Amino acid sequence: ETGVTQTPRHLVMGMTNKKSLKCEQHLGHNAMYWYKQSAKKPLELMFVYNFKEQTENNSVPSRFSPECPNSSHLFLHLHTLQPEDSALYLCASSHSQGASYGYTFGSGTRLTVV
Amino acid sequence: AQTVTQSQPEMSVQEAETVTLSCTYDTSESDYYLFWYKQPPSRQMILVIRQEAYKQQNATENRFSVNFQKAAKSFSLKISDSQLGDAAMYFCAYRSASGGTSYGKLTFGQGTILTVHP
């Protein structure tokens, strides 16, 4: 356990469902990130929050909606997803967006859209 | 934009032997950081080693060391005395230290699957 906790670990949802992914860290970090990891593709940065403010939205479709109520929690709200959205969604945190150290990652949520 | 390339989709090594994973990157910046991450089947990305671009000395962490060639934009990872627990997907990553739109973002390569044979 690295200090970044993601729930649920697995999620199967229909295309008409609404669900949320949760990420929590108590490392005192101020920046949090969502990445999408698909098979045979590099990790794709989706969103960046720095001190609770969204500083990056990497052209992510609106069916993905992030929320960062405080520096310790990050959510990814999902609705009307497509089968191609099936992937591993990784959350990460760092001291700040500009910190010289790498990120601390969670174990991810394996999402399957049926 | 920066890009990171790992040209070896898969590598294998015998236990106790040495293996080198390759990584190249493309950037016009002079100040940045490079990382190797390990992702075992548990899916958790674990930081293996970190290199600051302004340091000429190659980073080492126990059995893990890097060969950082700044002019060639190359950053390979050497694993010595390989162990079964080293089996995982390994990702090379780049992080800008300069200002601008890329500031702080971690860009990953495609990954290399490492198999360790007993």
Side-chain angles (χ1 to χ4, degrees):
Chain A
E1 186 63 51
T2 63
V4 177
T5 304
Q6 288 187 245
T7 54
R9 193 161 170 79
H10 300 275
L11 178 63
V12 179
M13 60 185 288
M15 288 189 283
T16 59
N17 291 157
K18 289 185 180 180
K19 296 286 184 183
S20 295
L21 310 185
K22 180 182 177 182
C23 177
E24 185 174 355
Q25 59 88 10
H26 296 288
L27 300 170
H29 291 172
N30 293 302
M32 297 186 79
Y33 312 83
W34 280 116
Y35 275 86
K36 176 183 179 183
Q37 185 178 16
S38 305
K40 310 225 184 276
K41 292 175 70 175
L43 276 79
E44 302 170 58
L45 178 64
M46 300 176 71
F47 300 104
V48 179
Y49 278 83
N50 198 34
F51 292 92
K52 300 188 298 178
E53 298 297 321
Q54 186 179 123
T55 58
E56 180 78 19
N57 178 338
N58 203 20
S59 302
V60 180
S62 60
R63 57 186 185 270
F64 295 91
S65 175
E67 179 190 0
C68 188
N70 54 61
S71 293
S72 299
H73 294 85
L74 183 65
F75 295 89
L76 188 61
H77 304 299
L78 317 171
H79 64 97
T80 59
L81 293 191
Q82 305 298 311
E84 60 265 27
D85 297 323
S86 298
L88 180 67
Y89 288 85
L90 289 165
C91 174
S93 68
S94 66
H95 284 285
S96 67
Q97 187 170 346
S100 63
Y101 288 88
Y103 302 171
T104 302
F105 283 86
S107 296
T109 294
R110 173 73 64 188
L111 174 67
T112 303
V113 181
V114 297
Chain B
Q2 293 80 24
T3 58
V4 179
T5 302
Q6 292 177 248
S7 58
Q8 305 156 317
E10 297 182 33
M11 291 285 285
S12 64
V13 64
Q14 291 293 133
E15 198 175 3
E17 297 294 307
T18 296
V19 65
T20 299
L21 308 184
S22 302
C23 173
T24 59
Y25 57 95
D26 186 24
T27 184
S28 57
E29 298 174 334
S30 60
D31 195 13
Y32 51 87
Y33 304 92
L34 296 166
F35 305 87
W36 278 98
Y37 278 88
K38 168 185 176 181
Q39 187 180 37
S42 67
R43 307 182 326 206
Q44 193 135 52
M45 296 276 276
I46 301 164
L47 179 63
V48 174
I49 200 164
R50 167 181 170 269
Q51 174 80 42
E52 295 150 321
Y54 63 84
K55 288 188 177 178
Q56 291 188 342
Q57 187 173 7
N58 289 323
T60 62
E61 286 287 342
N62 300 314
R63 298 182 295 107
F64 299 88
S65 61
V66 299
N67 184 4
F68 173 48
Q69 302 289 327
K70 191 172 184 179
K73 297 179 183 174
S74 170
F75 183 60
S76 61
L77 174 70
K78 185 171 84 171
I79 306 174
S80 305
D81 185 25
S82 297
Q83 300 175 0
L84 295 177
D86 295 333
M89 174 87 90
Y90 285 81
F91 291 93
C92 178
Y94 172 104
R95 188 172 194 184
S96 172
S98 307
T101 57
S102 298
Y103 183 53
K105 284 188 255 182
L106 204 56
T107 301
F108 288 87
Q110 303 92 323
T112 297
I113 298 173
L114 177 66
T115 302
V116 181
H117 299 288

